[in-house]
Amino acid sequence: MELLKRKIDTYLLDWKNNPKRKPLIVKGARQVGKTESIRAFGKANYESVIEINFVLQKKFRAIFDNGYEVETIIKNISLLEPSWRFIPYKTLIFFDELQKCPDCATSLKSFCQDGRYDVICSGSLMGIYYEEIESNAVGFKEDFEMHSMDFEEFLWAKGYQPEQIEDMYHHMTALQPFSQLELDTMTDIFRDYMSLGGMPEVVKMYIDNGHFEGTLELQRQLLKDYEEDITKYAKHTDKAKILAVYSHISTFLAKENKKYQISKIAKGARNREYIGAVEWLKEAGVINVCYCLSNVELPLKGNYETDYYKIYYHDTGLLIASLDEEAQEDLRANKNFGTYKGAIYENVVGEMLRKSGYEQLYFYKHESPSLEMDFFVRDADTLVPIEVKAKDGATASLNNLIKWNSYPDVKYGIKLGYKNIGWNGQFYTFPYFLAFLLKRFLKTNIVNYPTVSESQF
C-alpha cells in the first residue's frame, strides 16, 4: 500500500541528519498519521527498528521498573523479545502510545545522554499525561506537532508536484491573477478538501476509489472514536464536561456570531468550571480555539479575553460529518458551503492557519462602533486582519480597521473568498485555497505595490 506523502517526512530526515538530535516526541490528535509516518521513516533509514506499542503490548510497560538507564531498559526489552537487535548508531526505538506509559518519558534523558540509539515517541496525548511527560523530559527531547493533512499535502495526494505549488506562491508574490482554468480547477479541488478534510484514512479512500463513497461513514466513525477516547482518557470528574463541550461545537458554529457559550450547554454551567474541558480538548489537538482580542493592537500574546472564544474542529471534514443528513446532501451534491452561516469557511481557514504554524487564533467583535473581524495574524511589525467571505459582500469592517486612526497597528488587510488575486492599495484578495501560504507570504517584505481599481474586487 502506497503511503501518502507528509510534511513530517522531511522533518524526520532533517532530525536524523542533525548530529545534536535529541529523542523526539511526535504529538497530535489521534489518527492523523503519526504511527504510519514514523514506521515508514524507520524502515527506510535504519538497519534495525524496535517498535513498542504500550496499548497493544502491555508487558513492555514494565521495562522501566528497574530504573531508567539505557542498558537496563535494553536488557529488559531483550528479555521480553530476545530476537530484537540493538545495533548502536543504526537502531531506531519507537515507543508508540506514550500516554499509556508516561514513565517512558523519564528515560529520554538517559537515551539523550547515551546517544547510541535514536528514540521517537508518539501517542494520542489526550491532555491527561502531557504535563507530566513535559516535566519529566524537559531539556532532553524535541517536539513535533502533527496535524491531519493540510491542503498542500492534499494536493500532493492528488498528484500535484512541488513546482506547481511554488507557481501558486509566485502568483501571490507577483500579484498575478490566475487564469480562469487555474482558478476553477483549484477551487474545485479545495471544495473536495473541505468535504473530506485531511484525516489520512479518509483521503486515502477518496484517492484510491476516485469518489466520495464510503468517506462520510469513515468520518463519522472517527468522530465516534474521538468520543470514546475522551471517555477513556479524561479524568472521571471531567468526562461529562469535556463531552458536553465537544458535542456542542457545530451547534454554536451554526449561530450568527459563532461565540461558544458555556451557559447554553448545561443548566447552571459556568465558564470557569469548563475552562479545563476546553483546554483538554485543545491540548489533545481535537479543537482549535479562537479568542476575541481585548484590543486591536500588538502584541497578540495575552491580549485576548479568556472567556470569549469560538471553537472550531481541528479538521473541517469532521465538522461537515457532524452535520445532519439534509446538510450533508446539500453540501455534497450542491457544494453549497455558504449555507452554514460561513462557519465552514471560517473553520477551514482557522485550520489552515493553525497547520501553517500559527499557534493561536484570534478574532475581534465590538458592538459600538460595530466592528467584526474573523481572524488576526501579524507580520514583522503589523497587525493583519483577515476577512473570510462565504458570499461576496461589503467589507466595511476591513476598510474601517485600515482607515481609522484608532488602529495604528493595522496597515493593510487580507480578504479571502471566491476571488482572484488582487490588491487595491488597502487589502489583498486571495482565493480560499491560498490560505495555507499566508504565513510564508507575510514573511515577505510587502511594500509599495501600485494601487489598482476597486472594481477588481
Side-chain angles (χ1 to χ4, degrees), residues 249-262 264 290-292 307-312 340-343 346 363-367 371-375:
I249 296 172
S250 56
T251 302
F252 287 104
L253 287 178
K255 298 184 181 299
E256 196 66 43
N257 68 4
K258 304 178 186 63
K259 177 184 177 182
Y260 200 96
Q261 294 177 280
I262 293 295
K264 301 290 179 66
C290 187
Y291 290 99
C292 183
D307 59 350
Y308 190 176
Y309 50 83
K310 303 177 186 178
I311 296 179
Y312 299 110
Y340 202 64
K341 304 240 179 0
E346 283 188 34
F363 75 102
Y364 186 73
K365 184 175 178 63
H366 196 278
E367 299 299 336
L371 202 60
E372 184 173 3
M373 189 50 50
D374 300 308
F375 296 102

Side-chain angles (χ1 to χ4, degrees), residues 177-232:
F178 293 108
S179 70
Q180 198 61 46
L181 175 64
E182 291 171 322
L183 190 64
D184 291 345
T185 301
M186 281 299 150
T187 296
D188 285 344
I189 294 173
F190 184 69
R191 284 170 171 159
D192 288 350
Y193 175 69
M194 283 199 291
S195 296
L196 291 161
M199 301 299 278
E201 194 177 354
V202 177
V203 175
K204 190 76 167 61
M205 177 181 282
Y206 163 76
I207 295 296
D208 289 347
N209 297 337
H211 52 69
F212 289 94
E213 187 176 348
T215 58
L216 178 58
E217 290 75 13
L218 184 52
Q219 288 171 314
R220 286 179 170 165
Q221 184 57 52
L222 288 170
L223 288 171
K224 291 178 183 177
D225 290 346
Y226 275 17
E227 290 185 11
E228 288 178 9
D229 282 344
I230 292 170
T231 302
K232 186 189 303 181

Side-chain angles (χ1 to χ4, degrees), residues 343-444:
I344 295 173
Y345 292 109
E346 283 188 34
N347 201 102
V348 76
V349 171
E351 175 190 345
M352 293 168 87
L353 292 175
R354 281 284 290 119
K355 289 178 177 180
S356 66
Y358 289 103
E359 294 183 2
Q360 182 58 63
L361 301 177
Y362 304 96
F363 75 102
Y364 186 73
K365 184 175 178 63
H366 196 278
E367 299 299 336
S368 182
S370 179
L371 202 60
E372 184 173 3
M373 189 50 50
D374 300 308
F375 296 102
F376 280 90
V377 294
R378 62 168 302 171
D379 60 20
D381 56 7
T382 305
L383 186 60
V384 184
I386 299 176
E387 185 170 39
V388 180
K389 300 296 288 188
K391 299 178 181 178
D392 198 18
T395 56
S397 288
L398 185 58
N399 284 320
N400 290 337
L401 281 168
I402 298 165
K403 290 179 179 179
W404 288 351
N405 294 331
S406 309
Y407 309 107
D409 289 338
V410 178
K411 302 292 194 300
Y412 64 93
I414 292 170
K415 178 181 176 181
L416 298 174
Y418 284 124
K419 292 288 187 179
N420 215 323
I421 294 174
W423 163 252
N424 67 354
Q426 292 185 323
F427 59 83
Y428 297 91
T429 56
F430 294 123
Y432 298 112
F433 61 78
L434 290 181
F436 77 99
L437 291 168
L438 283 180
K439 188 174 178 67
R440 181 182 172 191
F441 176 76
L442 292 175
K443 286 183 179 179
T444 308

